[in-house]
Amino acid sequence: MAMTTRGCLVTLGVVVLALLFFERAAAGTAGRSAQERRQVRSLIRRLNKPPVATIQSPDGDIIDCVNITKQPAFDNPILWNHTIQMWPSYHPRDMYHRPNVTPHFSQTWHQKGMCPENTIPIRRTQEEDVLRATSVRSYGKKMPRFFSIQDTDQSAPSGHQWAEASVQGDVYYGTEATFNLWQPKVETASDFSLTQLWVVSGSYETNDLNTIEAGWQVFPQMYGDNSPRFFIYWTRDAYQNTGCYNLMCSGFVQTNNEIAFGVTQLSPVSTYDGPQHDINILVWKDPQGGNWWLKVDNNVLGYWPSSLFTNLANSASIIEWGGEVFSPDAGQTSTQMGSGHLPEEGFGKASYIKNIQVVDGSNTLQSPSSLGFLASRPNCYNVQNGGASSGNWGTYIYYGGPGKNPNCQ
């Protein structure tokens, strides 16, 4: 099945988090200049496509069911006249032949209905969402991480802290892993805490860093609450001008009519020393079509067209898995990563990422031969190898931490 589309470019800027604008959002556009108010309304008109149907979620989100050919991806001139690939040509082969993950990826808005065929669900952008950002131009974008897994200088005052594992030095065509799901506490509405995978090629030095990212995050300034939400991200120029969260710009082509990005889940979160819950995420490059596909549990959601990228048009050179925290405060934050506990506490207490695999050149999922580790401030947030395989956990790590504590000032 194929469909052809055409549209115009939506270009957004870079998110710089600030509590001031979170407070100003409550007053609507009051205090904004006439030009800013026009910019807010113009952006909302561009992002919110005419819906075929609308569903009011119990949690307050509004889900618009948008015709698949009218989705934001096709505002990008690169994708004008793009033929939608409704299903991947190939899935990666799993060398362990594990059974399919039991589907449980249910979202809160499903309680009120589902989107019809040939539409996709999109969380509606509302005025207060944009006003929580520092500017209209900044809405929907990440700040650069400033240094990567290869860097040795870990003192960059970027406001970002992370604990992650990685592989590099080979050619990669994707990754799969199972991510423990928690609801970490964030200190202010401007902080965020996330757990994700990164598929990477290029570098910051030449501003041609390409990334594909997927995971879960708690980000009050973005979403207006402290609920963990599934998200995606991409960039092809080191977060300078291209890419965005979810469908907040033109890029990712969604083909699934059941799962929306940036909304709350019905699946429970893990509890300390109690039941553990997780989601499985697979990103892989289709050997035939060349597009980078995304699958969550048993749901194939869509793809990033290879034409969006420069270096990732071919393959990845680095894969990363782990957590990241951001706070605009120049000092240390008490925002939690993962469970909010350091990795040495182990199962049921520390957060884990298990069944870590990479996709090789034969389109086969393989456990990485070795992992590198980076913790920007190990006494605040850390990462460690899980050790010998526990049952069917394969390669796994524990990571996370509480942030500010007596050993982390």
Side-chain angles (χ1 to χ4, degrees):
M1 180 179 181
M3 302 180 187
T4 303
T5 58
R6 187 173 179 86
C8 57
L9 176 64
V10 175
T11 302
L12 305 176
V14 178
V15 164
V16 183
L17 307 173
L19 182 58
L20 172 63
F21 281 87
F22 183 78
E23 297 169 341
R24 287 177 64 181
T29 55
R32 299 266 182 155
S33 68
Q35 180 180 4
E36 286 177 308
R37 292 195 296 270
R38 287 193 298 269
Q39 289 174 341
V40 170
R41 291 162 186 158
S42 175
L43 175 61
I44 289 173
R45 284 195 299 270
R46 286 181 292 172
L47 290 179
N48 293 330
K49 305 302 182 183
V52 173
T54 295
I55 299 171
Q56 178 70 59
S57 178
D59 61 6
D61 284 344
I62 299 173
I63 305 300
D64 288 327
C65 303
V66 175
N67 188 298
I68 192 171
T69 66
K70 305 297 183 183
Q71 63 180 291
F74 305 118
D75 290 339
N76 193 330
I78 293 174
L79 302 179
W80 287 358
N81 297 323
H82 177 81
T83 299
I84 299 176
Q85 185 181 354
M86 295 300 295
W87 195 253
S89 303
Y90 298 95
H91 284 72
R93 295 181 295 274
D94 189 335
M95 65 178 296
Y96 296 110
H97 305 292
R98 291 195 305 269
N100 287 334
V101 178
T102 301
H104 65 271
F105 201 73
S106 182
Q107 299 185 313
T108 304
W109 65 275
H110 291 166
Q111 296 176 343
K112 296 297 182 179
M114 299 293 287
C115 285
E117 290 188 18
N118 296 323
T119 70
I120 65 165
I122 302 178
R123 179 181 184 267
R124 182 182 296 181
T125 299
Q126 303 190 66
E127 193 171 90
E128 56 266 31
D129 294 327
V130 181
L131 291 172
R132 284 193 297 267
T134 57
S135 69
V136 179
R137 185 177 181 273
S138 72
Y139 178 67
K141 292 288 185 172
K142 276 188 177 185
M143 285 286 288
R145 294 172 66 209
F146 291 101
F147 64 95
S148 64
I149 196 75
Q150 308 104 303
D151 295 316
T152 55
D153 178 10
Q154 300 178 12
S155 61
S158 66
H160 293 258
Q161 298 184 50
W162 51 89
E164 61 188 39
S166 72
V167 292
Q168 58 181 311
D170 205 342
V171 177
Y172 309 102
Y173 295 90
T175 179
E176 181 177 33
T178 299
F179 296 82
N180 201 194
L181 180 61
W182 292 83
Q183 186 172 4
K185 295 178 181 178
V186 295
E187 184 173 323
T188 76
S190 301
D191 291 15
F192 72 64
S193 180
L194 60 77
T195 291
Q196 69 170 82
L197 61 81
W198 292 262
V199 177
V200 182
S201 188
S203 71
Y204 281 104
E205 288 73 16
T206 53
N207 283 329
D208 68 347
L209 185 78
N210 289 205
T211 73
I212 287 172
E213 307 172 32
W216 60 262
Q217 65 184 164
V218 173
F219 194 175
Q221 186 167 341
M222 176 69 70
Y223 303 110
D225 63 24
N226 294 314
S227 299
R229 296 169 182 251
F230 179 70
F231 78 94
I232 58 172
Y233 201 94
W234 69 276
T235 183
R236 70 162 178 266
D237 61 358
Y239 306 98
Q240 299 302 310
N241 296 298
T242 63
C244 60
Y245 280 110
N246 304 327
L247 303 185
M248 295 177 187
C249 68
S250 51
F252 185 84
V253 177
Q254 184 161 342
T255 58
N256 185 289
N257 71 331
E258 297 181 3
I259 304 301
F261 297 110
V263 304
T264 58
Q265 317 294 58
L266 282 176
S267 302
V269 297
S270 303
T271 56
Y272 184 81
D273 210 17
Q276 301 298 294
H277 301 277
D278 45 49
I279 60 173
N280 186 266
I281 304 175
L282 168 63
V283 172
W284 80 101
K285 188 175 178 62
D286 187 336
Q288 180 170 310
N291 299 317
W292 290 91
W293 283 85
L294 171 67
K295 183 178 181 181
V296 180
D297 290 344
N298 281 345
N299 305 281
V300 175
L301 302 189
Y303 59 92
W304 292 269
S306 61
S307 57
L308 290 176
F309 302 104
T310 53
N311 300 300
L312 278 178
N314 298 312
S315 61
S317 58
I318 302 172
I319 308 288
E320 301 169 5
W321 309 265
E324 181 177 2
V325 161
F326 173 82
S327 176
D329 189 345
Q332 183 54 277
T333 177
S334 61
T335 288
Q336 298 174 336
M337 179 190 293
S339 68
H341 293 263
L342 291 165
E344 52 264 32
E345 293 195 44
F347 180 75
K349 299 175 181 179
S351 188
Y352 61 78
I353 302 174
K354 66 181 182 178
N355 298 132
I356 295 173
Q357 298 186 88
V358 295
V359 182
D360 66 15
S362 66
N363 198 37
T364 301
L365 284 158
Q366 306 258 10
S367 290
S369 57
S370 62
L371 295 175
F373 296 93
L374 173 65
S376 52
R377 299 188 71 175
N379 291 329
C380 311
Y381 313 102
N382 208 352
V383 59
Q384 68 181 37
N385 198 312
S389 178
S390 174
N392 62 350
W393 277 39
T395 299
Y396 68 103
I397 62 172
Y398 289 112
Y399 73 97
K404 187 186 297 183
N405 67 76
N407 295 319
C408 170
Q409 303 294 336

